Amino acid sequence: MPIFAGAWLHETPAAEMSALIARNVDPVLTGCAAALRAFLARGDGGAIVNISSHQGQRPVRGAFAYATAKAAVEGLTRALAVDYGPSGVRVNALALGSIATERSASYLAGLSDQGREAFDGEIRLLRPLGRMGRPEEVADAVAFLLSDQAAFISGAIIPVDGGRSAVGRDPEEA
């Protein structure tokens, strides 16, 4: 599970901030290394799909470590695609927006009616599709990228965010 700790750089020791970043990047490095070793030993290529976040490109306030880690995931995805493409390995990432999970359901359950209404309003403002994503939509995107149908896709960071990466808030919006 990603670690999203609200830590501010001016208040948090650099070593602690580095550790927060590493807690989000290290599992991706470990998984990629294991997959690459297996693919190279087999000699017939393979596909890796990493999970990033829209925050890798558009962070929210207070998410320095998380956003930095997700930007690193996107960078390592592209670098691995370049390094291992000649061996037939494709590496891509999905940049997720808000996905409805048990964690988000628990968060929403703790809000007042007014709080849930405000949250839903923000979701509608920030996502042209007007809702949170579903886990099965993420799984479908992963399955596609792992399939032969995506045989010519590598080094891509694909948003699965309901249009969040495409929308800019209108400053005149009330």
Side-chain angles (χ1 to χ4, degrees):
M1 172 183 290
I3 307 300
F4 189 99
W8 295 87
L9 188 56
H10 71 282
E11 297 174 343
T12 307
E16 187 178 326
M17 196 63 83
S18 290
L20 286 172
I21 294 167
R23 287 176 65 190
N24 280 290
V25 176
D26 288 355
V28 177
L29 286 171
T30 301
C32 287
L36 288 166
R37 284 187 205 100
F39 296 154
L40 295 173
R42 273 197 342 243
D44 62 353
I48 296 171
V49 179
N50 292 318
I51 301 298
S52 182
S53 166
H54 67 88
Q55 291 198 46
Q57 296 297 315
R58 296 180 77 174
V60 298
R61 288 175 51 87
F64 173 82
Y66 183 78
T68 300
K70 294 308 177 177
V73 168
E74 292 180 9
L76 75 87
T77 294
R78 290 184 188 100
L80 294 177
V82 170
D83 288 348
Y84 293 95
S87 298
V89 178
R90 297 180 294 107
V91 186
N92 295 292
L94 299 178
L96 304 183
S98 298
I99 305 298
T101 62
E102 289 180 19
R103 182 176 170 207
S104 64
S106 176
Y107 170 77
L108 289 170
L111 295 178
S112 65
D113 289 343
Q114 183 179 9
R116 273 191 299 283
E117 189 175 307
F119 180 87
D120 289 342
E122 279 296 305
I123 291 293
R124 285 190 299 279
L125 282 173
L126 292 173
R127 285 151 193 84
L129 293 182
R131 63 175 177 84
M132 292 174 60
R134 297 186 299 271
E136 57 270 21
E137 292 169 322
V138 176
D140 289 343
V142 170
F144 170 72
L145 288 173
L146 293 174
S147 77
D148 290 339
Q149 293 175 321
F152 200 59
I153 301 173
S154 192
I157 311 302
I158 300 172
V160 178
D161 63 3
R164 169 72 171 99
S165 56
V167 73
R169 296 275 301 260
D170 181 347
E172 295 178 10
E173 198 172 296

